[in-house]
Amino acid sequence: AQTVTQSQPEMSVQEAETVTLSCTYDTSESDYYLFWYKQPPSRQMILVIRQEAYKQQNATENRFSVNFQKAAKSFSLKISDSQLGDAAMYFCAYSLKETSGSRLTFGEGTQLTVNP
Amino acid sequence: DTEVTQTPKHLVMGMTNKKSLKCEQHMGHRAMYWYKQKAKKPPELMFVYSYEKLSINESVPSRFSPECPNSSLLNLHLHALQPEDSALYLCASSQVTGAGYGYTFGSGTRLTVV
């Protein structure tokens, strides 16, 4: 079974600084997807960034980037120039490529606080 | 339209009540999902519908009954719930074969069972 581990229950960062959230996962598959989702107090889960396992290039979305280390099964999220609106619970998630709907396996989450 | 709409946003029900949660999307996604989320925990998968057919049931108690009447709608019928069923219920949708593009989630229904 696939598992996702986020070892940092809480993190904090100063506004405009950079923070890195850690995620490791365990799988015997070679082709899969990895995601970071953000869940602010409004409750809606928002996709931040995605990575396809067969692509070696790290994904980037504006201030968000990942460090994907496939051999080490590591998938960390870097947030640059942190903003107050980045404060949220961040979940790392894993999904296989399936043809009948894909289940997401989530980590336990990291609560990010952004200090002004 | 790039949204998943869930109604109601809040629901309080007694243990003998019958209620339904509704979820709607118009993105042409043919996979739809129900997740249950307890406070400060990750979402837990309950059901997956693919092309309006139930493809995954994660051994959810029968007091939760899902229904997918068409490709845009997903319901979760609730009956004889227990207080421990109080949680945030999230609906999501995705492309069936391209779920790697990620899910689109609704903002959830906060359910309280009294």
Side-chain angles (χ1 to χ4, degrees), chain B:
Chain B
D1 188 352
T2 58
E3 290 187 343
V4 173
T5 303
Q6 289 188 245
T7 55
K9 294 194 182 304
H10 301 274
L11 178 63
V12 178
M13 60 185 292
M15 290 189 284
T16 58
N17 291 159
K18 287 185 180 181
K19 296 286 185 183
S20 297
L21 309 185
K22 296 185 184 303
C23 173
E24 187 169 6
Q25 57 89 14
H26 296 286
M27 294 175 283
H29 290 169
R30 301 304 294 276
M32 296 187 76
Y33 311 80
W34 281 115
Y35 279 81
K36 173 183 177 180
Q37 186 179 24
K38 291 281 202 179
K40 299 195 181 299
K41 290 292 187 181
E44 299 173 359
L45 182 65
M46 300 175 72
F47 303 104
V48 179
Y49 272 83
S50 174
Y51 295 108
E52 296 87 69
K53 294 191 188 313
L54 184 65
S55 60
I56 297 174
N57 177 342
E58 292 285 0
S59 302
V60 178
S62 59
R63 57 186 184 268
F64 295 91
S65 176
E67 177 195 22
C68 190
N70 60 54
S71 60
S72 299
L73 293 175
L74 184 66
N75 299 320
L76 185 63
H77 302 298
L78 313 173
H79 173 56
L81 294 192
Q82 303 298 310
E84 60 265 28
D85 297 321
S86 298
L88 179 67
Y89 288 83
L90 292 167
C91 174
S93 69
S94 76
Q95 299 177 35
V96 172
T97 56
Y101 290 100
Y103 288 14
T104 301
F105 282 88
S107 57
T109 294
R110 176 77 65 192
L111 174 67
T112 304
V113 182
V114 297

Side-chain angles (χ1 to χ4, degrees), chain A residues 2-55:
Chain A
Q2 294 81 22
T3 59
V4 178
T5 302
Q6 294 178 248
S7 58
Q8 306 152 316
E10 298 177 349
M11 291 281 285
S12 63
V13 63
Q14 291 296 124
E15 198 174 2
E17 297 291 309
T18 296
V19 65
T20 299
L21 308 184
S22 300
C23 173
T24 59
Y25 59 94
D26 187 24
T27 183
S28 57
E29 304 291 333
S30 60
D31 199 6
Y32 49 86
Y33 300 105
L34 295 165
F35 308 89
W36 279 97
Y37 280 89
K38 166 186 176 182
Q39 189 175 36
S42 65
R43 311 179 319 199
Q44 186 158 15
M45 296 279 277
I46 302 165
L47 178 63
V48 174
I49 200 165
R50 59 182 286 273
Q51 175 80 42
E52 298 182 57
Y54 66 87
K55 289 188 177 179

Side-chain angles (χ1 to χ4, degrees), chain A residues 66-83:
Chain A
V66 298
N67 184 4
F68 174 48
Q69 302 288 329
K70 190 173 184 179
K73 297 180 181 174
S74 170
F75 183 61
S76 60
L77 174 70
K78 185 172 82 171
I79 306 174
S80 303
D81 185 25
S82 297
Q83 301 176 0

